[in-house]
């Protein structure tokens, strides 16, 4: 889904002032030049000005993960990010995960594993999981990564690793077991970006 141009109050045509600044954001591989109020968060910019409503406003305090997006490939809570501080950065929302009509391996795995119920948290879960796969592939350790792990090698995505890394994304419906399985499945696929220990997450 391609974002609609920002409306006038989003700053597309309004001049920069002491309270507003012009910035360039690359959102889902589309470059946008906008002028926004310095208090505008990335979440509000995406939802209210770009009509990208995949990222959800849950707690609005960075505690639930429903607003998770990728910023330069790393996951972040968009409700805590000021838009003006992201000038020049590349943002990926859940709308940008798929490659055209082809779903991202995580999206396919979530569907196959039925890893959602009401779906409100699912966009944030998907973006966070994409970040998890990239972090593990790059060898970033978590709290449960063994101290003996090779820092130059990808981290093996066991069930414990996935639970720890995804712990910042809450699901009120309690779909956690299926989410863990879906992330493990995606990490083990050719299109995934990390290895997974199949024996740790039984089908």
């Amino acid at each position: 889904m391609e974002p609609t141009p920002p409306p006038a109050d989003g700053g597309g045509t309004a001049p920069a002032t002491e309270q507003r600044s012009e910035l360039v954001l690359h959102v889902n591989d589309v470059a946008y030049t906008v002028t926004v109020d310095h208090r505008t968060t990335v979440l509000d910019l995406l939802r209210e000005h770009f009509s990208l409503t995949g990222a959800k406003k849950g707690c609005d305090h960075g505690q639930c993960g429903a607003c998770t997006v990728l910023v330069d490939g790393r996951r972040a809570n968009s409700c805590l990010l000021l838009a003006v501080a992201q000038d020049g950065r590349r943002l990926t929302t859940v709308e940008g995960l798929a490659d055209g009509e082809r779903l991202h391996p995580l999206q396919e795995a979530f569907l196959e594993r039925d890893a959602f119920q009401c779906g409100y948290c699912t966009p944030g879960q998907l973006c966070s999981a994409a970040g998890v796969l990239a972090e593990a592939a790059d060898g970033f350790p978590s709290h449960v990564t063994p101290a003996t792990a090779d820092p130059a090698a990808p981290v093996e995505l066991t069930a414990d690793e996935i639970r720890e890394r995804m712990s910042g994304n809450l699901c009120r419906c309690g779909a956690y077991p299926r989410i863990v399985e879906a992330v493990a499945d995606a990490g083990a696929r050719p299109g995934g970006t990390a290895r997974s220990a199949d024996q740790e997450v039984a089908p």
Side-chain angles (χ1 to χ4, degrees):
M1 172 182 172
E2 183 173 320
T4 55
D9 64 351
T13 57
T17 66
E18 291 183 358
Q19 291 79 36
R20 302 164 66 88
S21 293
E22 182 178 278
L23 64 147
V24 176
L25 287 177
H26 303 270
V27 182
N28 298 332
D29 295 325
V30 179
Y32 292 93
T33 300
V34 293
T35 303
V36 297
D37 187 291
H38 294 166
R39 298 165 294 181
T40 303
T41 65
V42 168
L43 178 59
D44 286 339
L45 183 65
L46 292 172
R47 292 181 58 83
E48 298 177 14
H49 304 306
F50 291 164
S51 297
L52 291 170
T53 55
K56 298 297 189 285
K57 181 172 285 197
C59 67
D60 213 23
H61 287 78
Q63 297 177 350
C64 71
C67 68
T68 304
V69 299
L70 299 175
V71 180
D72 289 341
R74 299 299 179 192
R75 53 193 172 136
N77 292 323
S78 60
C79 73
L80 298 181
L81 300 179
L82 291 176
V84 291
Q86 311 308 312
D87 188 23
R89 295 187 181 275
R90 295 186 175 277
L91 277 62
T92 303
T93 69
V94 68
E95 291 92 342
L97 288 181
D99 183 9
E101 295 299 317
R102 181 172 182 175
L103 295 178
H104 188 281
L106 279 164
Q107 293 171 311
E108 293 177 343
F110 267 62
L111 287 170
E112 292 168 2
R113 289 287 189 174
D114 196 20
F116 48 84
Q117 291 186 39
C118 79
Y120 192 85
C121 74
T122 304
Q125 299 276 1
L126 287 166
C127 285
S128 188
V132 164
L133 295 182
E135 291 162 13
D138 290 342
F140 288 6
S142 76
H143 180 69
V144 300
T145 303
T148 56
D150 182 356
V155 177
E156 188 174 40
L157 279 181
T158 63
D160 285 343
E161 279 284 356
I162 296 171
R163 291 189 193 101
E164 171 65 23
R165 292 170 186 268
M166 293 292 294
S167 61
N169 289 79
L170 305 183
C171 173
R172 290 180 181 268
C173 300
Y176 297 117
R178 295 299 185 185
I179 291 171
V180 172
E181 294 169 355
V183 175
D185 287 351
R189 292 180 180 183
T193 56
R195 294 180 293 113
S196 174
D198 293 338
Q199 69 274 17
E200 292 293 330
V201 185

